[in-house]
Each structure stands twice: as structure tokens, then as C-alpha cells.
Amino acid sequence: MDFTNLDRRGLLRGIGFAGGTAAFAAWMPAWAQPVSQGLAAPLPTVSGTDITLRIAHHTVVIDGRRSAAIGVNGTVPAPLIRLREGQMVRLNVINDLDKDSSIHWHGLLVPPQMDGVPGVSFPGIKPRSSYLYEFPIRQNGTYWYHSHSGFQEQLGHYGPIVIDPAGTDPVQFDREHVIVLSDHSPISPEAIFRRMKVDAGHFNYQRQTLAGLLAGRDQRLKDRLDWGAMRMDPTDISDTTGAAYTYLVNGHGPKDNWTALFSPGQRVRLRFVNASAMTTFNVRIPGLRFTIVQADGQNVMPVEIDEFQIGVAETYDAIVTPTEDKAFTLVGEAIDRSGMARATLAPRAGMTAPVPPLRPRPIATMKDMGMDMSGMQGMEGMDMSAGMGSTRGVDPTAEQNASGKLATGVAAAVASQTGMAGMDHSNMQGMPGDSGTKQGMDHSAMGHGAMAGDQSMTGMDMGSMNMRDFSKAPQVKRGPGVQTISPMPMDRTGDPGQGLEDVGHKVLVYKDLMALDRNPDVRAPSRSIDIHLTGNMERFMWSFDGEKMSDVHEPIPFIEGERVRVNLINDTMMGHPIHIHGHFFELVTGHGDHAPRKHTVIVQPGGKVTWDFTADAVGDWAFHCHLLYHMEAGMMRIVSVRPKGEAQ
Amino acid sequence: MIRLASALAASASLLVNQPALAQDHSQHQGMSMPGMQMPTPPKPSAKKPVAKKPGVKKQLRRQGMPTPALKPSPQAPTKPDEAMEGMDHSSMPGMDMAPPASATQSSQSMPNMDMQDHSQHGATPQAAHAGMEMTGTALPAGDAPAPPPPSDHYADRLFPKAEMDRARAKSMREQGGRTVYQVMFNLAEYQARAGRDGYRWDGEAFVGGDINRFWLKSEGEGAFGDRLESAEVQALYSRAIGPYFDLQAGVRQDFGQGPNRTYATVGFEGLAPYLFEVEGALFLSNKGDLLGRLEGYYDQRITQRLVLQPRVELNLSAQDVPENRLGSGLTNAELGLRLRYEITRQFAPYIGVSYDAKTGRTADFARADGEDPTTTSFVAGVRLWF
């Protein structure tokens, strides 16, 4: 193995790779090259105190096709920034674009003027100028950075950050790989945004059709009529889909097949970052189990799972221990199953493993509209109606992007229209007895026939239920931007996420996460506030409490040191990854003083998430949905933290 | 002061609430609460009621009992489920509750409890880690008032205000205030029919934000080799008045045969239940004539790209307008059925059939002019937008 320091800071190690792929090498940071040896194990010394980052236009080649992008230091994704807890870092960011730019250090606790949000934390970086970010590194873990200006993030302006702990890392591993998931489109982000604005469901090519109805797929007629009466589309899972996107691993398309190397028996640490603009991924490696050891850069009690959903801007660190001398496929399936990101874990370069087919796309249920079906006696089965669409099979005309054609061999043969694809009963033996398991089991059982006839229940109460009852959310401003109010929003942190209810193996749920260390602040919150996530899918309007960023500029106020409980209530039929700048919050999921600490959390459709946080960073901070086009449609607010007494 | 009073009241409510909460818990099967005794809560310092709470809790722990949810103040949260929240999330995992018990718990014992929360009590093995301690996120939230929002921008202290103002204005404009536009022809077609073949268009364009938009609408038809039969252009201000509907007002100018009238227009456009695209308008001409129109279509997806669009347009008149050959009542009905293939969402060729019937007195005018009041056309065209 010829390890070569490619980076002047000596942070990265990579290997030149021969053959046709050599051409790509120049455009990729070492860790993102077509074949990755893995990052160096934590280095004893880090010299990264002065780092220069240059933002500029760039061309990428993805699955053989060129397209325009914005890169940093000539690469997409931007270079990995590897730091050590306790150090100071000076990052000189040069903007070579012809428009303003910025960098936000996602998840890093920095002074407000270093947070990188134009108009909130600083004026932005003008064209042909630079900004010096300088701050101490107060934490460790996996993070990332990205532009907070316009649509630049969609164009490739994102990269990972890894911070090694000051002391011993409680996570033991032999080799590590950074895995940056993202979405890339040949269509300009301005055009993507406008098309969604003027044409609801523009990128959805997996809708319900007459052909599907006649073929007995998806919803039955009555349900279709019920949903039509509400002017809602249950197949509206993602706004921007595989019809527009190629899904990337470290900047490589599914055909490029980025490959991470391992030696059998090694504990391999995979540092996942979802740097997408719009895509929630369901991540799995058929044949391997993940041990989740970190979420959003914070260590968690190890939890063993088969698959996890990662929202935009979340990070997860997972350990895999492949013992066999064979290749494994890493699948990052878009939540709407319109395409996948694909990579390979292999002992040697050039090896591949079968690629599983894309699973049937999910269909939204009443639960996704904020109906508490579990409250109804004898209705337990109804919670699982989410899987019903897929048990009847998906519309025969549904389209997926090119990655769907990668399915090979045995995996492809197993694929069927029954919705049971990818179900592996053998995996069920090892499942720990937690809440997620029970659901998985029930579903698999029901998938074999017990469900027949229950479908009609999904339509129950639809006519009589007022889906826009503002008395349920008095603080929400009534207006065209609010299509629905969840009548009975439920805590869905025990749910595995849309389309993962019936996959037949253990899927991570938020309630599985427990902080490894005791939370730093275990006081009771002195107050609680509700924030409603609101939107109109027809008009592509998105907001908090019915008001867009452009409507108001009154911040959400906090007093320095105050501990507050925040209830995020999703009044829309779409999941939203909500991110607060400058702070971590502790999810209220039943783990007391070992609550998982996060910077971004998915609020499932029609659901709610509660978190506590300590407003300990004085300044103004951005608070927004991390779906880029939702934020750009107005789903953002300012959070202000001021010393007590000052804010009178 | 108020704070002092509420702190004292809080300690008093502790005594009151304690038994009640304990009672709630005791209804859970399989729950062990040994050494149950009422602790005397320490008198909280008047200055820092919040910071004092952990101290209270610690005291309780020392006495060997699990700490039920403490109420921070006598003003119980107004919503019952909020009041229970602390318990939902906290008291259970640490309390040695037998897993099967939680499954059988029903809303009877805890009426306000969210059913969903029960699932978490079912023996997540890790939950035991939390032990008997009730702290952190397990604690219920108080009801302290929210501070007033600050009147300044923090970044203005660190950067020139003018620069920040510029960046803020840009950010506001971008995040929710973008201008969008669309130009669409729902119909742009060739009509093959008895006699001279004709053409027909129906298009609209808009520019604006989410709420306020400027619209142009145009429709018309004619026969090849003949004069334009009828055509109109509308310029409208449009305002979103609900999640699905826009209210529109402006002017309409007619072209084509007969006197070309100008109208004041008010109408609506939007998405009706069952996903019908509908629009309607009233037109008041400069001669005082009142006309009306209702239009609707439905896109039935046969496949992801093959779409059948039934379409109806009804024109009405409140009076006879002989110079325009219109009779009062329903003047004409246009029924269309078009099958398009979306090569892209923005470009979709179609074929179809269109039936146009003049009715009532308008039909009489047509017959008097020697025209057939009904026309059936086979059509081919393109639906496109950009």
C-alpha cells in the first residue's frame, strides 16, 4: 500500500488509482477518489490551524456525464476538513464566484459572526473577496460545511468535517471512510425551484394512475377518491426526485461505483453525512449490520441495526465488521425510491456485489396527515397501513431513474411487485426487543395476507375530519400558505420513517438513540414553545406557523442560559429535517439525562418532535428546514439569544 | 414579588401534587415503588426557583424514591396532554415497569396519555440505563413567560449596519419572496371539422410571488383562410385567497368579428376538491352588457405520461347582445376530450375531439346567419409551458 500525503496539511491520505479513473482523480479529494483506502486512523498530531478554501465554478463528471457545479478547492464534494478537538482553526474562505457566497459549519459551535449565514450572522462574502473564519474547536465528531447562500449547496458547495477527540476515542475502529451522500441535477436549481412552484408534483413520476387502479395496485378507488376530495396526493413523498437527480456517494454516481476498501475482520467506521439539497436517504448494506455509534457528531450508546433513515444535514457514524472476503453494496435509497446512491465496500478495488432493486415507493397514510390512528381501539393494524400501498404493489407505470437498472443477479430476481422485495426473514432473529422490532414483525406477518380488507379503513373519517382546523393550532397564521393542520399530531420518534415500516429488518428509530455521556445540562425546561411546520404542497409554499421568512422578521426570542422545551408540530404531509444553528438540542424521547443530542431532526409527516435545549450561545441564529427549496420558499426563522435583562 | 409568590406556591403545590402523581403511577401493573414516603421539600430560594428544582429532586432521590414529575408551579399547563408530557417520556423507562404491563396499559389509567408513547415503555433495553433517576429531558417543562423579542440585530454590533441591512434584505427576498413566472398553453391546436378547418388556443401567463401575481390570459379561435373568429386577452391582478384559489380582477379586450368590446373582469381560478382545475369570471362590457364564463378540466393520468383531459367551457350572457350574436342565458358549451403524452411535463402533444354547441337564442342567431350552431372537431395540438 502506497500511502501518499496529497494534502499540504497532511490531513488526508489517499492513493492514486490507475487506469481510466485516473482522470477523475484530479477532481476528487483523496478520500472521495473512486477507490478509497480509507482515511488514516486518528492522527497523533494535526497541523490544520490555517486552511484556505476557494469557492469557484467547476465541472463535474458523474456517471460519464459532465455538468456544471460549484466546487471548493477544485473538488465536489469540498475537501474534508480534519481537525482536533481543542485546537484553534483559521479558515480563509475566498469567493471566486461572481455572486455572494458563504460557508456555514454545520453542527460546529462557533461564535455568531463565524456561523456563516448571510443576513443573520454576517454580511456574506462578496465576489472576489474573502472572509477569515477563526474559532476554537470545542467538540469532536462528524460534521459538514456548506454554502448558506442561495442555491449554491445544490451545485456542490458542501464538504465533510471530521474532528478527532482530544482524548481517546470511545469508538474503536481499524479503518474509516467518510461517506457524503448528496443529490445532483443537470437542471439548474433556479429552474428546479420554479418548476416546483408552478407545477405541483412536477418531478413525481410515481403517481397513482388509471393503469395502476385497473391493475389493482396502490390505493383502491375509494381511497383515491377520498384523497382527491382532500386535494392531496399520497404519492407526494419527495418534491425533487430521481427524475431530476442522480444520487451521489462522495461525488460519484451509482455507475461510477465509489469503492471503500477493507480487510476482512476489520472494524470499519463509516462516517455518513447527508449533504443533499432535498433527499432523505434510507441507508443499508445488504449482508452487514450497522452499529450506530454517533449521531450528528455526538457519541451514542452503540445500537445495532440493519438500516437507517438519514435526513438532509444529519450525520451518523456506523461501525461495520465485514468478515468475509467479498464485496458488499452500500445502498442509499431515496425515500421515494425514485433512485439510489450506490457504493461498494470491498477487500480489493474492482470487486462488486449484487445491487438490490429499488423497493416499492411508499404511499402516505392518514398518519402522515396527523391522524392518530393508534388511538382507535382495535385499530392497531391501521398503523401499518403505510405499507399497504406497497403490499398491493406500485403503479406499473411508475418510473425510477437510471440507478434502478443496476439491480443484478439474485437480488433482481427476488424483486417483485408484491412489495416484499428486500425482505429478509433471517435478519429478524438478531433483532433486539425494542419498539421498532415489534412493528417490523407485525408488518411482515400481515404482509402475507392478514391485511386484506383493512384498506377501507384508511378512508375512514376523511370526509368528516376537518383537515384545516385552526383551533388546533391557534398560533398559526391563517393564509394560502397553510394547506392543512394536523388534527392529531403524534410523537413519531418511534417510527422508522415512511416506507420503512415493513422492510422486515431492524430500522433505526430516534427512540433507539441514547447519549453515551450524561447530558451537560439536565435542568428542567423553564417553559415550552410550539412551532408548527406549515406548508402548501399545491403552491409549494413552506413556512413556520404559517409565516414565511420573507413575511416577518421577528425572531424567536430566548434568554441566555434559559432551558426551553420546543415542540415541533408537522402540519404537512412531508417530513422536514429541522436544524437550529449554534446549539445542540436533546431529543425528548424517554432517555432522561442521556437524551441524544442533535443539531438536525426529521419531523415525520403529520408528527411531532419535542426537544429541550439550553440557549447558551448569545447571538442571532438561523433556524430552518434543511430541505434547501423549503428554506428558500420561506421555511426559516431567526432565533435570538440575549443576556438576561438586555432583551427588555 | 410575583416570582417569590410563585416559588412559594410551587413548593406548596409539590405537597399537593405528589400524592396524586404517585397514585397515577401506582396504577401501572408491575411497577415497584418501594419506600414510598412523602418527603418534605426544601424551601426553595425565592431568587432562583428554576435552578432549585434539581436540588429538590436530589433530595427526593436520597430518600430512596423515584421522583415523579414535579410541577414547577401551581399554574398547571392548560392543555392536559402537556401536563402529562413529562410523565410520558420519563417516569416509565426508569421505573422497572414490567414490559408486558406497558402493552396492556390503556387510556383508562392515564386518560390523557398519548398512546404512541406507550411503545417506548416496552422495554428498550437501554432504557434501564437511566436508572431510577428522573432528570434532564424526563422533567416536565415549566410555564415561565417568553421573553420579548429583541429590537436589534445582533450582527449589527459586529458588522457595519448598512452591510447587514443589505444582506438581510437579500435574505428576506430570497427566503420566501422570490418572483416566479409561467407561460402556458393548455390548448394550442388544429381543428379538423366539416367546412373549413380551424384553430384554437387557450393560454395564460403569470409573474409574481406567492400571493400577488399579474396574469395575462388569452383564448380564441378561427378558421384557416378566414378572419379571426373570436379572440380575447385579459390582463388581471391575482391574489391568493386560500390554499387553492386565487381571486382575479382586471380587463378583457375582445378581437375578431363583431364590435370589439372591452370588459371589466372579476373572477377566480383554482383547484377544486377531487382535483378539478376550475375558473370562472364575470365580464361587464363598456356597453353595460354582463357576460359570464365557467371553465373546468380534469387531468386523468392513464400512465405517468399519458393523460386524458376532459374539459368544459360554458359561456353565459345576462342579456341579448345582437351585435355580437349572443342571446341571453347559456350562449355556448364547449366540451373537449384530449389525450396527451407528456414527453416532458412541459411539452405534451395531444389529439382529441371538441364539440361546440351554441344554445338557446344564441343558436337562433347562428341559424339566422346560416351557420350550423354545433361544430364537432377532431383536434391535434400541443400542451406546453415554459
Side-chain angles (χ1 to χ4, degrees):
Chain A
M1 292 289 164
D2 173 28
F3 281 102
T4 314
N5 284 336
L6 296 180
D7 190 273
R8 69 182 173 82
R9 295 179 301 280
L11 298 180
L12 302 176
R13 290 186 187 176
I15 185 166
F17 185 63
T21 50
F24 296 115
W27 298 326
M28 290 292 167
W31 55 273
Q33 289 197 4
V35 174
S36 164
Q37 292 290 328
L39 305 167
L43 300 169
T45 56
V46 174
S47 59
T49 53
D50 278 280
I51 294 170
T52 298
L53 299 173
R54 184 180 294 271
I55 305 162
H57 287 292
H58 184 63
T59 302
V60 289
V61 179
I62 291 161
D63 285 351
R65 286 213 305 262
R66 279 174 174 271
S67 61
I70 292 177
V72 175
N73 292 2
T75 69
V76 173
L80 169 80
I81 299 175
R82 185 148 205 155
L83 305 169
R84 179 167 289 275
E85 186 178 13
Q87 74 165 91
M88 278 295 297
V89 65
R90 289 157 52 89
L91 297 135
N92 186 34
V93 177
I94 302 162
N95 177 16
D96 274 353
L97 302 175
D98 51 11
K99 53 175 73 169
D100 283 17
S101 191
S102 57
I103 292 184
H104 164 60
W105 318 98
H106 190 111
L108 264 54
L109 302 173
V110 299
Q113 69 272 28
M114 297 298 159
D115 197 46
V117 183
V120 179
S121 38
F122 78 141
I125 311 174
K126 292 197 180 70
R128 319 278 166 205
S129 70
S130 67
Y131 186 81
L132 184 66
Y133 292 88
E134 186 170 14
F135 47 85
I137 299 300
R138 300 160 51 193
Q139 59 201 106
N140 64 71
T142 304
Y143 303 94
W144 65 299
Y145 63 106
H146 60 85
S147 170
H148 225 288
S149 301
F151 295 122
Q152 292 169 10
E153 192 185 332
Q154 173 78 85
L155 289 166
H157 186 339
Y158 50 78
I161 300 172
V162 172
I163 305 172
D164 294 309
T168 332
D169 196 329
V171 181
Q172 297 294 308
F173 54 93
D174 304 310
R175 195 192 292 238
E176 65 179 322
H177 298 281
V178 169
I179 295 175
V180 177
L181 300 168
S182 63
D183 45 27
H184 181 83
S185 180
I187 308 168
S188 81
E190 288 80 9
I192 290 174
F193 184 77
R194 187 176 71 86
R195 291 195 203 175
M196 294 190 296
K197 266 288 194 208
V198 303
D199 184 25
H202 182 82
F203 293 108
N204 185 0
Y205 282 91
Q206 299 188 91
R207 293 198 241 199
Q208 298 192 106
T209 68
L210 189 60
L213 182 71
L214 297 175
R217 309 278 172 78
D218 292 324
Q219 287 181 324
R220 290 185 167 84
L221 180 62
K222 182 184 184 306
D223 297 314
R224 293 182 189 219
L225 291 174
D226 283 335
W227 283 75
M230 293 186 296
R231 290 168 278 197
M232 302 294 280
D233 180 357
T235 71
D236 192 1
I237 307 296
S238 294
D239 293 316
T240 323
T241 70
Y245 283 145
T246 302
Y247 300 109
L248 311 184
V249 175
N250 293 338
H252 301 275
K255 285 182 201 147
D256 291 336
N257 191 27
W258 180 82
T259 299
L261 298 184
F262 68 88
S263 300
Q266 278 186 325
R267 279 171 64 86
V268 182
R269 180 176 192 163
L270 305 175
R271 297 177 179 267
F272 290 93
V273 176
N274 186 352
S276 296
M278 286 297 278
T279 308
T280 303
F281 286 105
N282 296 326
V283 178
R284 69 191 200 275
I285 302 178
L288 290 180
R289 302 201 86 194
F290 294 115
T291 303
I292 299 292
V293 292
Q294 206 180 75
D296 288 6
Q298 308 298 299
N299 290 324
V300 295
M301 310 273 274
V303 51
E304 211 175 308
I305 50 137
D306 296 300
E307 182 167 7
F308 61 93
Q309 184 167 94
I310 183 167
V312 174
E314 289 187 304
T315 74
Y316 282 106
D317 282 25
I319 300 285
V320 293
T321 313
T323 53
E324 297 164 87
D325 185 49
K326 67 170 205 175
F328 298 88
T329 295
L330 187 156
V331 181
E333 203 173 43
I335 184 177
D336 70 334
R337 278 82 191 260
S338 59
M340 69 167 86
R342 173 250 190 154
T344 295
L345 265 66
R348 289 171 298 283
M351 294 175 75
T352 57
V355 178
L358 286 160
R359 294 172 297 190
R361 64 104 170 80
I363 278 206
T365 67
M366 292 314 288
K367 201 172 174 183
D368 298 316
M369 297 192 58
M371 300 282 221
D372 184 352
M373 303 304 283
S374 68
M376 299 183 192
Q377 288 198 333
M379 293 287 137
E380 282 176 25
M382 288 318 300
D383 281 349
M384 293 140 196
S385 57
M388 286 215 185
S390 52
T391 57
R392 273 170 59 86
V394 167
D395 195 284
T397 69
E399 295 177 24
Q400 298 160 331
N401 77 8
S403 63
K405 298 190 179 72
L406 288 170
T408 47
V410 181
V414 170
S416 69
Q417 298 286 356
T418 63
M420 304 305 282
M423 191 133 176
D424 183 355
H425 288 274
S426 64
N427 275 343
M428 300 183 90
Q429 291 177 340
M431 284 196 285
D434 58 15
S435 57
T437 309
K438 186 164 161 283
Q439 285 192 352
M441 301 282 278
D442 286 347
H443 278 292
S444 58
M446 295 181 81
H448 290 113
M451 271 180 171
D454 284 358
Q455 181 89 8
S456 58
M457 297 309 301
T458 53
M460 201 180 63
D461 274 341
M462 275 188 181
S464 59
M465 182 66 69
N466 182 356
M467 301 307 292
R468 201 163 174 262
D469 180 358
F470 282 87
S471 72
K472 299 235 164 49
Q475 75 206 76
V476 173
K477 187 183 163 199
R478 193 184 187 110
V482 184
Q483 190 176 14
T484 47
I485 298 286
S486 294
M488 287 175 278
M490 283 192 296
D491 177 356
R492 300 190 68 182
T493 55
D495 290 10
Q498 273 179 303
L500 294 176
E501 301 89 345
D502 56 356
V503 291
H505 55 213
K506 169 62 188 163
V507 179
L508 182 74
V509 300
Y510 281 136
K511 282 182 178 170
D512 292 334
L513 296 174
M514 272 185 84
L516 187 64
D517 300 316
R518 189 167 192 255
N519 297 148
D521 188 346
V522 297
R523 291 175 298 157
S526 59
R527 61 187 175 100
S528 70
I529 60 172
D530 290 352
I531 296 173
H532 287 259
L533 322 184
T534 45
N536 183 337
M537 302 167 94
E538 273 303 315
R539 297 184 185 271
F540 202 75
M541 291 174 71
W542 302 100
S543 55
F544 290 123
D545 288 339
E547 289 185 313
K548 297 182 294 179
M549 175 79 171
S550 56
D551 290 336
V552 290
H553 217 130
E554 188 157 279
I556 304 171
F558 295 97
I559 300 288
E560 184 187 11
E562 187 182 28
R563 191 152 172 86
V564 179
R565 176 156 296 167
V566 177
N567 303 301
L568 301 175
I569 299 155
N570 191 345
D571 287 322
T572 79
M573 213 182 66
M574 194 166 272
H576 300 279
I578 302 296
H579 171 49
I580 187 170
H581 287 223
H583 299 81
F584 280 88
F585 49 78
E586 287 85 34
L587 285 181
V588 179
T589 46
H591 298 304
D593 58 0
H594 280 71
R597 308 189 73 212
K598 296 190 99 267
H599 51 57
T600 308
V601 65
I602 303 175
V603 188
Q604 295 291 348
K608 62 181 178 184
V609 165
T610 297
W611 42 260
D612 292 352
F613 89 118
T614 304
D616 56 3
V618 170
D620 289 345
W621 303 96
F623 171 76
H624 58 94
C625 174
H626 221 290
L627 296 175
L628 180 63
Y629 299 106
H630 287 193
M631 179 176 81
E632 292 295 305
M635 204 166 189
M636 173 164 167
R637 283 297 177 86
I638 309 298
V639 158
S640 71
V641 181
R642 295 287 193 278
K644 193 172 177 63
E646 193 184 290
Q648 298 309 317
Chain B
M1 281 160 23
I2 295 166
R3 232 176 240 131
L4 173 69
S6 74
L8 289 172
S11 63
S13 77
L14 201 58
L15 287 165
V16 176
N17 287 330
Q18 203 83 345
L21 287 166
Q23 180 120 7
D24 274 359
H25 286 176
S26 68
Q27 289 176 11
H28 289 275
Q29 297 167 14
M31 182 189 247
S32 60
M33 295 183 84
M36 182 86 170
Q37 51 176 278
M38 292 316 301
T40 311
K43 188 169 181 169
S45 149
K47 294 259 165 63
K48 295 181 187 169
V50 175
K52 204 65 199 168
K53 257 175 266 145
V56 176
K57 177 206 73 222
K58 238 174 252 164
Q59 175 107 2
L60 292 173
R61 207 162 55 237
R62 235 175 281 130
Q63 293 181 21
M65 75 165 281
T67 7
L70 297 180
K71 290 223 171 147
S73 97
Q75 290 95 31
T78 43
K79 287 189 218 152
D81 53 334
E82 261 178 31
M84 301 302 284
E85 195 149 21
M87 260 158 79
D88 283 2
H89 295 274
S90 56
S91 42
M92 301 309 162
M95 288 223 173
D96 273 347
M97 196 155 59
S102 73
T104 56
Q105 293 297 329
S106 73
S107 48
Q108 287 164 339
S109 58
M110 299 197 113
N112 295 321
M113 204 155 178
D114 189 346
M115 292 300 285
Q116 176 71 6
D117 283 332
H118 276 291
S119 64
Q120 82 183 73
H121 307 317
T124 307
Q126 303 160 341
H129 179 89
M132 299 301 283
E133 192 176 8
M134 197 166 106
T135 176
T137 57
L139 298 167
D143 60 355
S151 50
D152 68 325
H153 302 286
Y154 193 84
D156 289 357
R157 305 176 190 189
L158 307 160
F159 298 96
K161 186 171 184 312
E163 273 187 55
M164 283 308 301
D165 283 341
R166 180 191 65 90
R168 263 193 298 274
K170 186 167 185 283
S171 161
M172 290 276 283
R173 200 167 55 244
E174 283 182 353
Q175 268 113 37
R178 286 173 191 267
T179 296
V180 293
Y181 68 91
Q182 184 184 31
V183 179
M184 177 197 286
F185 284 92
N186 187 37
L187 307 181
E189 67 195 22
Y190 181 92
Q191 298 192 327
R193 56 198 182 203
R196 275 186 170 149
D197 286 354
Y199 53 87
R200 169 93 167 92
W201 78 88
D202 183 5
E204 54 192 31
F206 76 82
V207 62
D210 287 327
I211 306 298
N212 300 306
R213 287 175 177 176
F214 174 72
W215 281 77
L216 283 175
K217 294 185 182 182
S218 177
E219 67 174 299
E221 61 190 322
F224 288 104
D226 200 353
R227 281 178 58 203
L228 185 66
E229 193 174 307
S230 71
E232 65 175 51
V233 174
Q234 298 180 44
L236 305 166
Y237 161 74
S238 170
R239 183 173 176 81
I241 51 164
Y244 305 102
F245 278 92
D246 295 344
L247 192 64
Q248 302 177 329
V251 294
R252 161 181 158 184
Q253 177 64 49
D254 281 3
F255 305 95
Q257 295 169 8
N260 290 329
R261 299 272 193 244
T262 305
Y263 303 83
T265 303
V266 60
F268 68 91
E269 175 164 359
L271 185 69
Y274 299 98
L275 305 172
F276 287 93
E277 297 279 353
V278 295
E279 62 183 294
L282 290 174
F283 308 101
L284 184 65
S285 80
N286 49 351
K287 298 290 181 195
D289 298 325
L290 184 65
L291 306 182
R293 178 181 295 153
L294 281 173
E295 194 181 327
Y297 64 81
Y298 180 78
D299 280 347
Q300 172 60 58
R301 293 195 173 273
I302 295 171
T303 72
Q304 300 299 324
R305 292 173 187 270
L306 193 63
V307 182
L308 186 67
Q309 184 188 79
R311 180 179 177 279
V312 179
E313 180 177 328
L314 305 176
N315 284 291
L316 304 126
S317 176
Q319 64 287 304
D320 287 348
V321 192
E323 58 272 37
N324 289 75
R325 317 308 282 159
L326 298 175
S328 70
L330 181 68
T331 60
N332 77 309
E334 184 186 339
L335 309 174
L337 192 61
R338 292 172 177 82
L339 182 67
R340 71 173 187 262
Y341 184 80
E342 294 183 344
I343 295 169
T344 69
R345 292 276 191 243
Q346 288 161 269
F347 185 82
Y350 65 80
I351 54 168
V353 59
S354 177
Y355 172 78
D356 188 353
K358 295 184 168 74
T359 54
R361 294 176 59 79
T362 308
D364 296 341
F365 279 122
R367 276 188 285 266
D369 296 342
E371 288 175 19
D372 186 347
T374 65
T375 311
T376 304
S377 308
F378 292 95
V379 305
V382 177
R383 181 184 194 265
L384 77 164
W385 61 266
F386 52 88

